[in-house]
Every structure is written in C-alpha cells, then in structure tokens.
Amino acid sequence: MAVTSRRQFIQQSLFAAAALYRYPVQTLTGAPAILRTIEQNGASVDPAEIRKLASKISGHVITPTAPEYESLRLVFNRAFNLRPAVIVRCAGPSDVARALDFGQQQKIPVAVHSGGHSRLGYGMCDGGVVIDLAGMNRVKVDAGNRLARAEAGALVHDLDVATQKFGLATTSGGCPTVGITGLTLGGGQGKLMGLYGAACDNLLSAQLVTVDGKEVVASRDIDPDLFWAIRGGGGNFGVVTALEYQVHPVTDVLGGTLLYPPGRIPELLQAFARFVETEPDEMDSLAQLLPSDGGARCRIDVCYCGDPRTGNELLRPLRALKPQEDDVKVTPYLTIQSGGGFLQAPVAHFQTNQFLPKLSETAIAAIAAALNDAPRHDKVFGKVIVVPLHGAISRVPVTDTAFVLRRPGYEVDIAGVWSDPAEKAGAVRWVEALRDKLQPLAQGVYANQLGETSEALVRAAYGANYGRLRRVKQKYDPNNVLRLNQNIRPA
Ligand SMILES: Cc1cc2nc3c(=O)[nH]c(=O)nc-3n(C[C@H](O)[C@H](O)[C@H](O)COP(=O)(O)OP(=O)(O)OC[C@H]3O[C@@H](n4cnc5c(N)ncnc54)[C@H](O)[C@@H]3O)c2cc1C
C-alpha cells in the first residue's frame, strides 16, 4: 500500500497548503437516528502544525491531498462519508501519543481506527485527527504457554490465522475483517463464546497510551480498574496498542449451514429456541432471517467443538425440520471462521440490536411480521440475526468485567441495507419499527452492534456497571478526549 512518506508529505504540504482543509462542513440538523451527532469543527488546522506533527511521526501522516486519503478515510459502514483533517498511520505507541497530543492541542475531534467496522463509523471523523492502527497488525503466538499477543490493528482473520497454525484459537468475531481491538473492548462475541467466554474474558493484559501520552499496561494485577473497564467499556479510556489473549486448543469442528425453504419463520424460530435451550457449551448457533419473494427464509449456522458424533446427534431436531441445504460437516475451524460475516462487503447500513432473555411467541410473531414487510430488492433489504448467548459467556458475574450481557438469552440484530441513498429512509424506518416492537421485551443492548446512540442507549449498554465506568473514565480521560464511541461521561 502506498503511503505518504515524511518527505512527500512536506512537499505536498508546501504545494497545497492553501488548499488544505477547505472542504465544506456538512450540517446535520434534523438528521435521522442513524446518523450519530458528528462533532463539527469549523476551525482549520494550521498546515505548519501538521508539518511539525509529521516530522515527529515514525509512521505516515496522510492529509486530504494525499492520493491514499480517499481510500483510508472509508469505513465499513458506507452510510458514513467523513473527512478527517489528518490521518496518522501509527507505527508504534509513540506515534499514538503524538497524535493524541496533536488532537488535544488543536482542539479537534480524535477518532481511533483499528478495523474500521464500527456500526456508527466511530473509527473516522470529520475535521479531526484519526489515530489509525491498521498498520500495527502483527500477532505472535506462544504455543507452550497458550498465549497470543496481537498488535491493536490486527483483524479477526489475522488472529485466527496466527493461532490456528498451532491448533489454537480464542473467541473472536464472526466476520474476518472486524478489528480485534474494537471487538474485544466492547465484549466480543464469536463461535467459541459458549465454551471460552467473550473475547474480553480471554484478555490477559493490554498495552495502552492514555490521553496524557503515558504508555501503560493493564492486567488483573497492574491497574486492575483500567483492566476491568476496557473489558466491555469500549475505547473510552485510552488507545490500545497491543492485546494479550489466552488461547485454547481448537482444530476441526462440526460446522456449516442449514438453509430452510421460505415461509416457515415462526415454526423454525420456535424450534431454534428449543434447540438453544438445551445446547451444550460446545455448540454455537445463530439464525439469520432474510426476506425473499416466496416468504422469509431462515438460515441456521452451527459450530460444534466436540466429538462430531455427539454434534450430529444434537443437530437431529434441526435436521428433522427438513432443511433445503445442509453443508454441516467436519471442517477446520479456520475455514468456518473465514466464511465471512453477515454483511460480506462494505455497504451502507443501519443496524441496531436488543437483548431478549427469551425468544417468546410475541417476539417471534413480531420478527416474522416484520420480515413479511421488509424491503427486499438487490439494492435494499432488511435482515434479522438472532445470536444466542449461553454457556461460559453467560456465567461470568456482571460486575467482574464491564461487559454486562451475562445471562442466557438472545441478541437480536436488526439491519437495513441500501446502496442507493434514495432507499435509505425506508430501510431505516423498517429497522426502527421492529426495534420499537421488541423494545418492551428487551433487557439491554450490545454496545458493539449499536448503529445509534443516546444517553438512554449508553446507560442500557453499560447497565449496572455504568457508575463505576464513569469513575474510571474520570480518572483516565477527564476531558472526554476519547468520545467517538458509545460515550461514557466522566463522573
Ligand atoms: C460486518 C460486521 C460483523 C461484525 N461481527 C461481529 C461479531 O461477530 N461479534 C461481535 O462481537 N461484534 C461484531 N461486530 C461489531 C464489532 O465488534 C464492532 O463494530 C467493533 O467496534 C469493531 O471494531 P473495529 O476495530 O473493527 O472498528 P473501528 O471502527 O476501527 O473501531 C470502533 C471503535 O472501537 C474503539 N477502538 C478501536 N480500536 C481501538 C484502540 N486501538 N484503542 C481504543 N479504542 C479502540 C474505538 O472507540 C472505535 O471508535 C461486527 C461488525 C460488523 C460491521
């Protein structure tokens, strides 16, 4: 990937200084719920200050005139089209410290970008500085001690590939291009969560740069308050530069997809709920529901980490419902993990979620009815994903880490996708309508899968831990420099 060297940067700055940062500032009055409040900053950044920053950075400083600026500013959720004043492609913790200092000195927004998969585009900003960690993505595995140490820019795929070389793995996300840092800081759900807990439960330590530029380590023994907060409290407390995980033996699994004929959503979801109620820790499953012309379709993905004979026995009730396609077989874990996420490629979307302790008849009826009305064209469609939480992830006491979804139940993700901006309002309305129907049944939300924010949602996302999180925030980021996230206000 071509990036601006310090010399190129200085040349570009000299030739184009006058043109820097003259892009229009968009006003978002009356914006629909999907759009987070984007902090506007009318003041331009002095090019001389950027040159000074570039001279101290070991990585690369990218400005709007650099050829790679347009690709680097893109985030997975194409609903966001943000134009930062400067992107700092960090090479190490000292670059992070300098970029943090720059943002504070210039009084501009600071965004932290690892994998770029925030549903709210939080890894990018308008008019501010982006601390981009994508180039710091090495993963080292200590197989003897079952540890993996990853730099903060590593993606789910990077972590899986490195650990699977040794027949090891830890809980990581269902989409290979998600960043492990954003994933872990918000909790981190994946196929191994029933067996080994959330990604944050496998975190042993983290290296961070705090907003005052200090490089610190957090673990159970060192700064335990900070370590507690970063396991579920998101990117509120400092910029993570490396993470150390416990890893576990995982090789072949029994995994794949059962795809059912259209038009049987209530029956299939009821059967799915019965299946989930008895599934052991080794079994992970989720249901994806998509509208189609013949009626909505249900696809159930399974991954069983145990004896395949037992796994096949457990799957009997799902197979008895006569799936049209069944490719569940013994497969390397890495193959299952590389299969892709719910949305395979970057796309404009609005996704939100509710945590339901039960998949009740009322909830199933609401989901089935919504799918009948869902937009369903090539360019715009609605989708529901039902993610059961059970086993190890649900046995950790709520106050042990900041991550609060600690009881068995279902995270119901509702997504509206569009490529033509004219279709956006309809897709958003569809998501909001189902969200509002499920609201009376919900007991929480998953911060990492929220495409919207508000004070009420932040409180719901951090639940019983919100008060303690605010106190930790006050200690580490009293001026709320790191506020492009599901934001915890300093106490
Ligand atoms: C297609 C898709 C599939 C997904 N699948 C799953 C899944 O299977 N399981 C699951 O649990 N979640 C999943 N998610 C949600 C995902 O966990 C969150 O969006 C997560 O925040 C993405 O992290 P990122 O590093 O890729 O994103 P970024 O946009 O780079 O970062 C998101 C936020 O995380 C924080 N952050 C990131 N890096 C740092 C850092 N180095 N230091 C401090 N803060 C940081 C910041 O607040 C930042 O704004 C998925 C999202 C998408 C779009």
Side-chain angles (χ1 to χ4, degrees):
M1 179 176 45
V3 284
T4 310
S5 68
R6 267 185 244 178
R7 192 151 48 126
Q8 283 169 323
F9 167 77
I10 290 166
Q11 278 168 356
Q12 283 165 2
S13 299
L14 288 172
F15 289 121
L20 281 175
Y21 318 120
R22 296 241 173 108
Y23 45 83
V25 172
Q26 200 188 354
T27 309
L28 291 174
T29 44
I34 177 171
L35 292 172
R36 62 178 159 94
T37 306
I38 294 166
E39 294 176 65
Q40 302 302 332
N41 196 295
S44 60
V45 181
D46 180 355
E49 292 300 326
I50 299 194
R51 284 199 295 278
K52 241 193 262 169
L53 170 69
S55 71
K56 296 183 217 152
I57 293 288
S58 307
H60 301 279
V61 171
I62 311 292
T63 66
T65 53
E68 53 277 72
Y69 175 82
E70 289 302 325
S71 59
L72 290 180
R73 73 179 183 82
L74 293 178
V75 289
F76 184 90
N77 188 350
R78 295 291 204 258
F80 296 96
N81 179 22
L82 304 171
R83 303 190 67 85
V86 58
I87 301 173
V88 180
R89 298 274 285 174
C90 297
S94 59
D95 284 355
V96 171
R98 287 182 176 126
L100 269 171
D101 180 56
F102 181 80
Q104 291 171 84
Q105 294 298 327
Q106 297 299 315
K107 300 188 171 43
I108 54 176
V110 175
V112 186
H113 181 105
S114 287
H117 275 55
S118 160
R119 299 282 181 197
L120 272 157
Y122 277 141
M124 200 48 58
C125 61
D126 255 342
V129 56
V130 176
I131 301 178
D132 183 337
L133 295 138
M136 294 167 56
N137 61 357
R138 283 166 297 198
V139 182
K140 275 195 185 151
V141 179
D142 174 352
N145 289 309
R146 295 199 177 157
L147 301 175
R149 185 183 180 281
E151 290 182 322
L155 306 179
V156 162
H157 189 64
D158 299 324
L159 181 62
D160 287 339
V161 167
T163 51
Q164 280 288 277
K165 278 188 190 143
F166 300 92
L168 298 166
T170 196
T171 305
S172 62
C175 168
T177 53
V178 167
I180 58 159
T181 305
L183 176 102
T184 306
L185 298 182
Q189 301 166 353
K191 296 180 184 67
L192 302 180
M193 63 185 162
L195 204 47
Y196 299 121
C200 70
D201 299 331
N202 291 281
L203 193 64
L204 297 174
S205 69
Q207 283 181 13
L208 297 96
V209 178
T210 50
V211 292
D212 53 5
K214 285 198 192 97
E215 290 178 31
V216 301
V217 172
S219 70
R220 274 184 210 282
D221 303 323
I222 310 168
D223 223 330
D225 254 4
L226 180 59
F227 188 56
W228 173 85
I230 61 169
R231 287 175 294 156
N236 274 283
F237 310 96
V239 178
V240 171
T241 54
L243 299 160
E244 186 186 38
Y245 295 94
Q246 184 79 70
V247 293
H248 315 271
V250 180
T251 50
D252 286 352
V253 295
L254 179 73
T257 291
L258 303 162
L259 178 68
Y260 294 89
R264 293 165 53 194
I265 297 302
E267 173 203 359
L268 291 169
L269 274 186
Q270 275 155 16
F272 180 63
R274 285 195 298 275
F275 173 77
V276 168
E277 269 161 34
T278 57
E279 66 183 358
D281 293 2
E282 292 81 0
M283 180 68 84
D284 181 75
S285 59
L286 65 81
Q288 295 193 59
L289 310 158
L290 265 173
S292 79
D293 285 341
R297 302 196 72 159
C298 175
R299 165 186 155 163
I300 298 178
D301 293 350
V302 295
C303 175
Y304 181 72
C305 298
D307 183 337
R309 279 168 304 188
T310 315
N312 277 316
E313 200 53 41
L314 288 163
L315 291 175
R316 261 171 189 268
L318 296 182
R319 285 183 161 136
L321 294 162
K322 302 206 176 352
Q324 210 172 11
E325 290 170 31
D326 175 352
D327 70 359
V328 178
K329 58 179 187 294
V330 175
T331 312
Y333 173 73
L334 187 58
T335 307
I336 293 278
Q337 275 293 91
S338 306
F342 312 129
L343 301 171
Q344 308 283 335
V347 66
H349 64 284
F350 172 43
Q351 175 162 330
T352 194
N353 73 88
Q354 309 270 21
F355 175 78
L356 308 183
K358 288 224 165 313
L359 209 49
S360 63
E361 275 188 31
T362 316
I364 290 173
I367 293 169
L371 286 161
N372 287 337
D373 294 339
R376 54 167 180 275
H377 307 294
D378 282 355
K379 287 189 169 177
V380 54
F381 60 90
K383 183 168 184 164
V384 177
I385 303 146
V386 182
V387 185
L389 303 182
H390 72 101
I393 190 172
S394 61
R395 287 195 290 266
V396 178
V398 165
T399 52
D400 272 20
T401 67
F403 178 62
V404 288
L405 294 183
R406 295 303 194 176
R407 53 188 290 201
Y410 301 83
E411 178 199 325
V412 179
D413 291 297
I414 314 163
V417 177
W418 64 91
S419 52
D420 179 347
E423 306 274 22
K424 171 178 157 183
V428 171
R429 260 199 313 276
W430 179 79
V431 173
E432 289 176 341
L434 178 54
R435 175 201 66 191
D436 293 348
K437 275 259 166 61
L438 295 178
Q439 178 62 42
L441 310 170
Q443 295 192 7
V445 290
Y446 178 30
N448 266 359
Q449 296 283 25
L450 276 179
E452 52 187 341
T453 190
S454 67
E455 175 71 20
L457 280 171
V458 166
R459 284 180 182 278
Y462 302 121
N465 290 328
Y466 190 52
R468 183 171 171 196
L469 282 166
R470 289 192 63 194
R471 292 191 292 279
V472 182
K473 176 78 174 177
Q474 171 65 33
K475 181 169 171 196
Y476 289 95
D477 185 15
N479 297 321
N480 207 5
V481 173
L482 299 170
R483 56 183 174 271
L484 293 179
N485 44 42
Q486 291 296 341
N487 192 229
I488 296 163
R489 307 277 150 153

